[in-house]
Protein backbone atom coordinates (compact mmCIF):
# COMPACT_ATOMS: atom_id res chain seq x y z
CA UNK A 1 0.00 0.00 0.00
CA UNK A 2 1.24 3.48 -0.88
CA UNK A 3 2.09 6.01 1.80
CA UNK A 4 0.16 9.23 2.29
CA UNK A 5 3.00 11.28 0.78
CA UNK A 6 3.06 9.08 -2.32
CA UNK A 7 -0.69 9.39 -2.78
CA UNK A 8 -0.54 13.19 -2.42
CA UNK A 9 2.24 13.33 -5.01
CA UNK A 10 0.18 11.14 -7.38
CA UNK A 11 -2.85 13.36 -6.86
CA UNK A 12 -0.83 16.51 -7.65
CA UNK A 13 0.63 14.86 -10.76
CA UNK A 14 -2.87 13.88 -11.93
CA UNK A 15 -4.20 17.40 -11.34
CA UNK A 16 -1.33 18.83 -13.43
CA UNK A 17 -2.05 16.31 -16.19
CA UNK A 18 -5.78 17.19 -16.07
CA UNK A 19 -4.95 20.89 -16.51
CA UNK A 20 -2.59 20.20 -19.42
CA UNK A 21 -5.22 18.04 -21.13
CA UNK A 22 -7.94 20.63 -20.49
CA UNK A 23 -5.80 23.38 -22.08
CA UNK A 24 -4.92 21.16 -25.06
CA UNK A 25 -8.58 20.19 -25.62
CA UNK A 26 -9.66 23.83 -25.35
CA UNK A 27 -7.03 24.94 -27.87
CA UNK A 28 -8.13 22.16 -30.24
CA UNK A 29 -11.80 23.19 -29.89
CA UNK A 30 -10.96 26.85 -30.55
CA UNK A 31 -9.02 25.86 -33.66
CA UNK A 32 -12.00 23.89 -34.97
CA UNK A 33 -14.33 26.80 -34.22
CA UNK A 34 -12.07 29.27 -36.03
CA UNK A 35 -11.87 26.95 -39.04
CA UNK A 36 -15.67 26.65 -39.20
CA UNK A 37 -16.11 30.40 -38.75
CA UNK A 38 -13.73 31.06 -41.65
CA UNK A 39 -15.39 28.39 -43.77
CA UNK A 40 -18.91 29.79 -43.26
CA UNK A 41 -18.02 33.47 -42.90
CA UNK A 42 -19.31 33.69 -39.33
CA UNK A 43 -18.48 36.44 -36.84
CA UNK A 44 -18.60 36.66 -33.05
CA UNK A 45 -21.90 38.55 -33.39
CA UNK A 46 -23.36 35.53 -35.20
CA UNK A 47 -22.40 33.31 -32.29
CA UNK A 48 -23.97 35.59 -29.70
CA UNK A 49 -27.27 35.66 -31.56
CA UNK A 50 -27.01 39.39 -32.28
CA UNK A 51 -26.48 38.95 -35.99
CA UNK A 52 -28.77 37.63 -38.72
CA UNK A 53 -32.54 37.68 -38.61
CA UNK A 54 -34.02 39.54 -35.71
CA UNK A 55 -37.00 38.34 -33.77
CA UNK A 56 -40.08 40.49 -33.94
CA UNK A 57 -41.65 40.87 -30.55
CA UNK A 58 -44.24 43.24 -29.26
CA UNK A 59 -42.61 46.20 -27.57
CA UNK A 60 -43.54 46.82 -23.99
CA UNK A 61 -46.01 49.62 -23.55
CA UNK A 62 -47.61 49.50 -27.00
CA UNK A 63 -51.15 50.82 -27.15
CA UNK A 64 -53.90 48.26 -27.71
CA UNK A 65 -57.13 49.06 -29.51
CA UNK A 66 -60.16 49.50 -27.28
CA UNK A 67 -62.65 46.62 -27.14
CA UNK A 68 -65.22 48.24 -24.85
CA UNK A 69 -66.60 51.77 -24.95
CA UNK A 70 -69.10 53.69 -22.84
CA UNK A 71 -71.27 55.37 -25.47
CA UNK A 72 -72.52 57.96 -22.99
CA UNK A 73 -69.13 59.27 -21.90
CA UNK A 74 -66.76 58.01 -24.62
CA UNK A 75 -64.55 56.21 -22.09
CA UNK A 76 -62.88 53.09 -23.44
CA UNK A 77 -61.13 49.98 -22.16
CA UNK A 78 -58.88 47.59 -24.09
CA UNK A 79 -59.94 44.56 -22.08
CA UNK A 80 -56.48 44.22 -20.53
CA UNK A 81 -55.67 44.86 -16.92
CA UNK A 82 -58.19 45.80 -14.26
CA UNK A 83 -61.67 46.85 -15.28
CA UNK A 84 -62.11 50.61 -15.06
CA UNK A 85 -64.44 52.05 -12.44
CA UNK A 86 -67.03 53.19 -14.99
CA UNK A 87 -67.36 49.62 -16.31
CA UNK A 88 -67.47 48.06 -12.86
CA UNK A 89 -70.24 50.46 -11.85
CA UNK A 90 -72.23 49.70 -15.01
CA UNK A 91 -71.87 45.95 -14.53
CA UNK A 92 -72.85 46.27 -10.88
CA UNK A 93 -76.03 48.11 -11.91
CA UNK A 94 -77.07 45.12 -14.04
CA UNK A 95 -75.75 45.97 -17.49
CA UNK A 96 -73.94 43.32 -19.54
CA UNK A 97 -70.36 43.53 -20.82
CA UNK A 98 -71.60 42.79 -24.33
CA UNK A 99 -73.43 46.14 -24.31
CA UNK A 100 -70.07 47.95 -24.31
CA UNK A 101 -68.37 45.83 -27.01
CA UNK A 102 -67.21 47.73 -30.08
Amino acid sequence: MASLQELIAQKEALEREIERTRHADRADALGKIRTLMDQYGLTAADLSGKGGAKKTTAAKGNKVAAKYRNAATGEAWSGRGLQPKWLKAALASGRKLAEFTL
Side-chain angles (χ1 to χ4, degrees):
M1 184 171 205
S3 71
L4 179 60
Q5 293 299 333
E6 292 170 343
L7 291 174
I8 292 173
Q10 288 176 0
K11 178 185 171 193
E12 290 172 355
L14 280 174
E15 287 174 348
R16 285 191 300 272
E17 185 63 27
I18 288 170
E19 275 305 305
R20 277 194 292 270
T21 304
R22 181 176 289 138
H23 285 292
D25 288 351
R26 185 173 187 271
D28 184 45
L30 286 172
K32 289 176 184 176
I33 291 169
R34 285 189 183 107
T35 301
L36 288 171
M37 288 177 72
D38 290 341
Q39 182 179 353
Y40 292 100
L42 300 173
T43 64
D46 294 327
L47 297 177
S48 67
K50 294 180 182 175
K54 293 188 177 190
K55 295 179 187 176
T56 56
T57 57
K60 197 172 188 179
N62 280 351
K63 296 281 184 177
V64 178
K67 291 183 182 180
Y68 307 99
R69 185 173 311 279
N70 184 348
T73 63
E75 295 172 302
W77 178 50
S78 67
R80 293 187 179 180
L82 298 175
Q83 286 181 340
K85 292 179 184 179
W86 63 265
L87 185 58
K88 280 186 181 182
L91 295 174
S93 70
R95 295 184 68 185
K96 304 288 182 198
L97 186 61
E99 296 175 38
F100 298 99
T101 305
L102 295 176

